[in-house]
Amino acid sequence: MIETVSTARAFGGTQHVLRHHSTTTGTGMVFSAFVPDHAEGKRLPVLWYLSGLTCTHANATDKGEYRRACAEQRVIFIAPDTSPRGDGVPDVPEWDFGQGAGFYLDATEQPWAGHFRMRTYIEQELPALIAEHLPVDMTRQGIAGHSMGGHGALTVALRNPERFRSVSAFAPIVSPLRCPWGEKALTGYLGPDRNTWRAYDATALIQDGARVPELLVDQGDADGFLHEQLKPWLLEKACRAAGIPVTLRMQPGYDHSYYFISTFMADHIAWHGERLRN
């Protein structure tokens, strides 16, 4: 069952914030959904947007500036949370691990394994819920994300290529095996066996044979995390070797914030819209 937290009219559509109990995470989960106006019985393509470290559904919903473009492209926009939350959900004081840092994986290490199952939530439970309750055409799905959510978008799409017609990312963590954020998260959630990490690393998935039709990535060249954490050139190299068309746009002067994301969000939505129509 879905509970409505709020609704608001915007750009000829309705912005919903919704809550439900997740059997996957064992917690309440909140997500937002922008639905453009449409004829009764009409089903629209859907774009999933996965947020980054420390974020909830609200970061993109409040600062993403996607509604006008989604209304023009006739695309539903879904923004989930980044992790389970609430009483009884384990956490740590650090901002880059625990609540707000689910890394879109299914944890196997304790105490995380009981609740931190964001891979199954994003890949299975939430899509089934959306298909039941919103006017989505599940044959026309795209996925995008930012930072940790860019990692999520890339890896979810690479593991489920039959599901997504389009994939893009803003400043993604392209190789958690080769950056401090990723090494911390994957060790903590999955344990020390690096072979088990490969299912959650876009470059490793590509090296292991996973494919998508093409990728669009925007990256600010003034992003303070660029060289230590993000390393988009590793994704570009893996794609070139695998024959995956990739457009990596280095944006001069842009940082890691929603000022950057909101600047190029309409470009991404138009890019997805073209592929979701065809």
Side-chain angles (χ1 to χ4, degrees):
M1 183 177 72
I2 291 182
E3 172 190 351
T4 298
V5 177
S6 66
T7 61
R9 291 288 294 163
F11 295 104
T14 303
Q15 179 66 64
H16 304 265
V17 177
L18 304 165
R19 179 189 293 119
H20 73 108
H21 179 78
S22 167
T23 58
T24 300
T25 67
T27 67
M29 297 293 288
V30 177
F31 66 94
S32 74
F34 176 73
V35 182
D37 290 347
H38 56 283
E40 184 175 354
K42 176 75 171 178
R43 292 190 171 270
L44 303 178
V46 58
L47 177 60
W48 303 88
Y49 177 86
L50 306 185
S51 291
L53 287 165
T54 75
C55 291
T56 70
H57 72 282
N59 295 75
T61 307
D62 294 348
K63 298 184 289 187
E65 299 186 22
Y66 56 83
R67 279 169 283 266
R68 182 191 296 274
C70 284
E72 291 172 352
Q73 297 293 327
R74 313 292 292 162
V75 170
I76 293 173
F77 189 98
I78 305 291
D81 203 345
T82 56
S83 79
R85 302 176 192 271
D87 295 341
V89 177
D91 199 12
V92 293
E94 299 95 319
W95 65 274
D96 56 354
F97 191 76
Q99 293 189 36
F103 267 82
Y104 303 100
L105 52 75
D106 283 355
T108 56
E109 295 293 295
Q110 297 301 334
W112 313 101
H115 295 290
F116 280 71
R117 303 184 63 227
M118 290 301 293
R119 171 180 177 174
T120 297
Y121 178 73
I122 294 295
E123 291 185 359
Q124 299 179 28
E125 184 180 12
L126 188 57
L129 191 75
I130 295 298
E132 180 181 356
H133 292 280
L134 292 177
V136 295
D137 178 353
M138 298 299 280
T139 69
R140 295 187 290 161
Q141 297 185 64
I143 191 166
H146 168 234
S147 194
M148 180 186 73
H151 140 77
L154 294 172
T155 56
V156 169
L158 285 162
R159 290 192 303 262
N160 300 275
E162 73 290 343
R163 183 178 299 179
F164 298 101
R165 294 192 184 184
S166 54
V167 192
S168 75
F170 301 90
I173 302 171
V174 306
S175 184
L177 277 80
R178 291 178 281 184
C179 76
W181 282 341
E183 290 184 352
K184 178 177 181 177
L186 298 182
T187 300
Y189 293 132
L190 302 176
D193 183 358
R194 294 176 71 91
N195 285 328
T196 66
W197 300 6
R198 296 184 70 84
Y200 300 106
D201 183 295
T203 63
L205 284 165
I206 292 169
Q207 291 165 358
D208 292 345
R211 298 290 183 266
V212 291
E214 59 182 322
L215 293 173
L216 170 64
V217 177
D218 271 307
Q219 171 67 62
D221 71 1
D223 189 324
F225 302 118
L226 174 59
H227 294 283
E228 184 179 26
Q229 304 284 7
L230 305 176
K231 307 179 182 181
W233 49 87
L234 297 177
L235 178 67
E236 186 175 41
K237 180 179 178 181
C239 287
R240 301 295 185 207
I244 299 172
V246 57
T247 301
L248 172 60
R249 307 192 304 187
M250 298 299 300
Q251 302 293 356
Y254 284 89
D255 61 14
H256 199 69
S257 72
Y258 267 85
Y259 295 113
F260 156 63
I261 297 166
S262 63
T263 299
F264 301 102
M265 181 67 86
D267 284 0
H268 281 240
I269 291 169
W271 186 86
H272 284 276
E274 180 181 357
R275 286 149 183 81
L276 294 174
R277 282 190 300 273
N278 293 332

